[in-house]
């Protein structure tokens, strides 16, 4: 694409770990919504919005798009921490905590494939990464079929801890 795009690779290397944090945040975010804690979810997203806008106002002036990339990464780390902290405090169903290492491993598998894969099409990269994420969740037994049915309200049986 030309020499003017060489620095874009550095920005992508800063942003790539943020993708892992986004996917890791999805799990507790969805659980908060499922437990009727939409306000908590909205507050966390609002905090992320304010931090991102304020951080970018300063970072872009000082370091340009690389500063913006760093702000994005820090913002996602903060939001991920807030989502997990609040999910642990608010949820009645805390069974997912014992599986956290398995879930984070699955996210890491997906992130590595997403960053390192070199398929011809980015859509294929994302699709393969998501498929590997789902496979890793199932293979590590982070989520059982009973839990999936319970979360999707396909079963009236409660999840046995």
């Amino acid at each position: 694409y030309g020499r003017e795009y060489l620095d874009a690779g550095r920005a992508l290397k800063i942003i790539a770990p943020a993708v892992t944090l986004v996917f890791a945040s999805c799990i507790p975010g969805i659980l908060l919504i499922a437990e009727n804690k939409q306000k908590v979810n909205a507050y966390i997203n609002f905090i992320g919005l304010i931090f991102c806008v304020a951080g970018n106002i300063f970072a872009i002036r000082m370091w340009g798009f690389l500063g913006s990339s760093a702000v994005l990464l820090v913002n996602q780390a903060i939001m991920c921490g807030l989502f997990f902290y609040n999910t642990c405090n608010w949820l009645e169903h805390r069974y997912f905590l014992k599986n956290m290492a398995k879930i984070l491993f699955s996210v890491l598998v997906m992130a590595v494939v997403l960053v390192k894969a070199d398929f011809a099409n980015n859509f294929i990269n994302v699709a393969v990464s998501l498929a590997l994420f789902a496979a890793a969740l199932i293979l590590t037994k982070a989520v059982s079929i009973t839990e999936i049915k319970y979360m999707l309200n396909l079963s009236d049986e409660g999840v046995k801890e």
Side-chain angles (χ1 to χ4, degrees), residues 10-89:
R10 291 189 336 181
L12 287 175
K13 287 181 181 180
I14 296 170
I15 292 172
V19 173
T20 304
L21 296 170
V22 169
F23 280 102
S25 298
C26 287
I27 297 164
I30 290 169
L31 289 173
L32 283 172
I33 292 170
E35 290 292 326
N36 202 25
K37 302 293 181 194
Q38 291 89 342
K39 281 187 180 180
V40 174
N41 194 318
Y43 289 142
I44 293 170
N45 282 298
F46 185 71
I47 290 168
L49 169 79
I50 297 300
F51 178 84
C52 198
V53 169
N56 275 314
I57 288 172
F58 297 108
I60 291 173
R61 286 182 188 162
M62 295 173 67
W63 300 293
F65 67 93
L66 293 175
S68 180
S69 301
V71 167
L72 175 67
L73 178 60
V74 171
N75 184 51
Q76 291 305 319
I78 290 169
M79 288 182 64
C80 188
L82 288 172
F83 272 118
F84 276 102
Y85 175 79
N86 283 286
T87 301
C88 293
N89 286 332

Side-chain angles (χ1 to χ4, degrees), residues 54-138:
N56 275 314
I57 288 172
F58 297 108
I60 291 173
R61 286 182 188 162
M62 295 173 67
W63 300 293
F65 67 93
L66 293 175
S68 180
S69 301
V71 167
L72 175 67
L73 178 60
V74 171
N75 184 51
Q76 291 305 319
I78 290 169
M79 288 182 64
C80 188
L82 288 172
F83 272 118
F84 276 102
Y85 175 79
N86 283 286
T87 301
C88 293
N89 286 332
W90 289 93
L91 282 181
E92 294 174 16
H93 306 289
R94 297 178 188 205
Y95 60 89
F96 80 99
L97 290 177
K98 62 185 173 186
N99 293 321
M100 193 56 57
K102 296 175 185 177
I103 293 169
L104 291 177
F105 170 77
S106 300
V107 168
L108 184 63
V109 167
M110 179 192 57
V112 167
V113 172
L114 189 60
V115 171
K116 296 293 182 180
D118 193 23
F119 295 109
N121 185 326
N122 284 332
F123 178 75
I124 294 172
N125 286 353
V126 172
V128 169
S129 298
L130 288 174
L132 286 174
F133 174 67
L137 284 175
I138 293 168

